Amino acid sequence: MAATLLTASFVVFGAMYLAPGSPASFLLAGRSASPEALAAINAQYHLDDPFLVRYFRWLGGVLQGDFGRSITYRTDVSRLLADRLPVTLLLITMALVLVVAVGLLLGRIAAVRGGAADSAVLVTTTFAVGTPSFVAAVLLQGLFAVQLGWFPSSGSGDGLGDMLWHLTLPAIALALYLTGMLARVTRSAMLEALDSEHVTVARSRGVPERQVIRRHVFRNSLGTVLTTGGLIVSTLLVCTILVETAFGIGGIGQLLELSTTTKDFPTVQAVSLIIVALFMVVNLVVDLLLPLVDPRVTLGSRKAAA
């Protein structure tokens, strides 16, 4: 895990280093400056140091809990993260609840009822999967915020209740594509389970259909659904950058976008490190939960080891 974090931070730092432009030019905001002023800025932020020197200086600070000082915001990166990370985590949590609740429900309805219900779900999920998050953000913002005025068009609000109200449209925009994807995965997994032999045996023994669906179909589909859940959370972490920018939400997604534009090395490095760490934690949790949901995974691993 540590090696992955180091590799990711090194790659991001190298990409920022090779990108055109200089942080000094953004600090000056297009104003002309004397060579002495430029030299003072470069010396203050160590912009003239070689690539490896700058990287290992940053890495040494991170190991001591110091993420550095933001070049753009002129404050500690740790303070920026403390102010903005809760908003992003709340947005991702709201979107994840929508994805799981609606996606599983639609997938189950399509697989169990079939017919017109299945066709309706397929049409709905096709529209959802074909709508990128940034397009959904623009459409929702234009209709429900600008035209109808039901929700705020930008900002994250103050206080939990106000934040939930402000983040409703962004959460829907963030969840739309992934809800369609999870519904399709759930439908396919349940249809496969419905055709399995043990379901046929359970039905022949007179087990109630509702119990067959709950214990033998839906439960056996959870392994596939959980594996997809890891991909869903990872996608949420990436897409939140677009959604936060579209709605003007002051989270780490918008912070990363603005900091990348101004080549704010410490801030970009810190946000990227957090995103990679969250991605790895999610995948670790999925790996730990998968044997509990689907015992066949553990059995298969033991057979392979033997």
Side-chain angles (χ1 to χ4, degrees):
M1 184 173 181
T4 303
L5 290 175
L6 288 175
T7 302
S9 65
F10 187 83
V11 171
V12 172
F13 200 94
M16 289 287 294
Y17 185 85
L18 295 175
S22 169
S25 62
F26 294 103
L27 289 174
L28 294 172
R31 296 170 296 176
S32 60
S34 64
E36 292 77 11
L38 287 175
I41 293 175
N42 291 333
Q44 180 181 358
Y45 294 102
H46 306 285
L47 300 178
D48 287 334
D49 291 347
F51 168 74
L52 290 179
V53 173
R54 294 172 62 181
Y55 173 74
F56 283 109
R57 179 186 293 113
W58 172 84
L59 182 61
V62 170
L63 294 177
Q64 297 176 12
D66 181 13
F67 287 97
R69 187 173 179 82
S70 170
I71 299 174
T72 305
Y73 296 92
R74 313 291 181 87
T75 186
D76 291 338
V77 176
S78 300
R79 179 176 297 179
L80 286 175
L81 296 178
D83 292 339
R84 293 172 177 259
L85 187 58
V87 178
T88 298
L89 292 179
L90 179 59
L91 173 61
I92 292 176
T93 301
M94 292 175 63
L96 185 60
V97 170
L98 289 174
V99 171
V100 173
V102 180
L104 291 180
L105 178 62
L106 291 179
R108 179 166 178 163
I109 291 175
V112 174
R113 296 187 179 181
D118 187 20
S119 300
V121 170
L122 287 177
V123 171
T124 303
T125 55
T126 299
F127 170 78
V129 171
T131 307
S133 297
F134 65 91
V135 175
V138 173
L139 294 176
L140 292 172
Q141 193 176 41
L143 177 60
F144 293 102
V146 177
Q147 296 293 331
L148 299 177
W150 292 354
F151 296 95
S153 60
S154 62
S156 54
D158 298 318
L160 181 58
D162 195 30
M163 289 177 65
L164 292 174
W165 184 44
H166 276 76
L167 296 180
T168 298
L169 288 184
I172 295 174
L174 194 58
L176 185 62
Y177 164 78
L178 295 171
T179 299
M181 185 177 70
L182 182 62
R184 284 174 171 264
V185 170
T186 304
R187 172 184 177 275
S188 299
M190 291 188 67
L191 288 176
E192 182 178 354
L194 282 168
D195 292 335
S196 60
E197 184 177 351
H198 69 277
V199 171
T200 304
V201 172
R203 284 172 169 169
S204 66
R205 291 180 176 178
V207 178
E209 184 67 15
R210 180 174 298 180
Q211 188 173 342
V212 170
I213 297 298
R214 185 179 68 254
R215 292 187 178 182
H216 300 283
V217 177
F218 185 71
R219 184 175 180 180
N220 287 340
S221 306
L222 286 180
T224 304
V225 173
L226 184 61
T227 303
T228 307
L231 176 61
I232 286 175
V233 176
S234 304
T235 306
L236 286 175
L237 292 173
V238 176
C239 291
T240 187
I241 300 173
L242 301 173
V243 173
E244 285 186 3
T245 302
F247 283 93
I249 299 172
I252 63 170
Q254 187 191 50
L255 178 64
L256 178 61
E257 190 269 337
L258 294 174
S259 300
T260 302
T261 303
T262 57
K263 294 197 70 174
D264 189 345
F265 281 82
T267 306
V268 173
Q269 283 290 99
V271 175
S272 301
L273 199 65
I274 289 177
I275 292 176
V276 174
L278 290 174
F279 174 80
M280 295 175 62
V281 169
V282 168
N283 282 275
L284 177 61
V285 171
V286 170
D287 290 339
L288 294 176
L289 291 179
L290 195 56
L292 301 177
V293 174
D294 190 354
R296 295 172 297 179
V297 175
T298 304
L299 181 60
S301 302
R302 291 178 179 175
K303 288 182 178 180

